[in-house]
Amino acid sequence: CGLVVFSHGIGGSRMGYSYLGRHWASQGMASLHLQHVGSDRQLWFGNPLALVGRLQSAARDDEAIARVFDMRHALDRVLEDGAAGLRVDPARIVAAGHSYGANTTLLAAGATVRRGDQLIQHRDARIRAAIVLSAPPFYGERDFRPILAGIRIPSLHITATDDVINIPGYHSPADDRVRVF
């Protein structure tokens, strides 16, 4: 069977899009929803005055990379020995994600971000297609063409006209999502 690996947005959880997982399963696709510790729903708990700091910390480059490694590790385990009797067709693996999870998906699909002399590049060749739900700009970058040029797999981009990110210290209008597309 095919497999969809889903990455939640910042402050989310593996349960956030479980309705999509149930639908994909009803259509014969296996669905694996990741929980990204460090940028998951635990961010909302604790001192409310420290919330902005926790969100900013979760949006750093090292967390973005860790999320791609989460996806890689989960795929390794599922494909290892047909975990739980699951027989995944390696030609039918799709990465999907919402918001920050969409950035995770794009990095796994081949996006490349330059930081000084270094490249953040973590393409997983097992990913054969991508579903990108409301991808925000990559880490404040303005020109997405060089970042997204390495993506060579089919990608479905979905957003809404009123999908605005407005948290203290960070604002991103819906136009940003269209520019990623």
Side-chain angles (χ1 to χ4, degrees):
C1 71
L3 173 67
V4 178
V5 183
F6 193 88
S7 176
H8 64 75
I10 200 164
S13 79
R14 67 180 179 266
M15 301 307 293
Y17 278 84
S18 57
Y19 71 92
L20 283 179
R22 286 190 298 278
H23 176 73
W24 291 325
S26 77
Q27 303 302 306
M29 294 286 290
S31 181
L32 175 62
H33 292 243
L34 306 175
Q35 182 87 16
H36 297 289
V37 175
S39 58
D40 64 358
R41 66 185 304 274
Q42 290 302 313
L43 295 174
W44 303 114
F45 302 103
N47 181 345
L49 299 176
L51 175 61
V52 172
R54 290 192 300 271
L55 290 169
Q56 289 171 344
S57 178
R60 292 186 326 234
D61 290 345
D62 60 335
E63 179 61 26
I65 293 166
R67 290 169 66 94
V68 178
F69 288 146
D70 289 347
M71 186 176 283
R72 184 172 292 151
H73 176 77
L75 269 175
D76 289 347
R77 298 295 73 78
V78 167
L79 297 174
E80 201 166 64
D81 290 320
L86 184 63
R87 302 287 183 252
V88 173
D89 179 350
R92 297 179 60 208
I93 298 174
V94 176
H98 170 251
S99 192
Y100 199 42
N103 285 160
T104 303
T105 297
L106 290 169
L107 284 168
T112 303
V113 178
R114 179 169 292 284
R115 287 288 183 257
D117 295 350
Q118 307 242 328
L119 289 178
I120 298 173
Q121 187 174 37
H122 295 286
R123 181 178 175 271
D124 189 325
R126 299 173 294 185
I127 305 296
R128 302 298 177 93
I131 301 171
V132 181
L133 306 173
S134 293
F138 276 89
Y139 323 108
E141 299 287 335
R142 302 310 298 164
D143 185 4
F144 304 132
R145 287 172 294 198
I147 294 170
L148 302 174
I151 299 175
R152 301 277 186 241
I153 60 174
S155 302
L156 173 64
H157 292 250
I158 302 168
T159 196
T161 57
D162 197 26
D163 191 352
V164 175
I165 300 171
N166 200 9
I167 58 176
Y170 184 74
H171 176 77
S172 176
D175 290 350
D176 284 346
R177 252 78 52 234
V178 173
R179 288 185 34 230
V180 171
F181 168 76

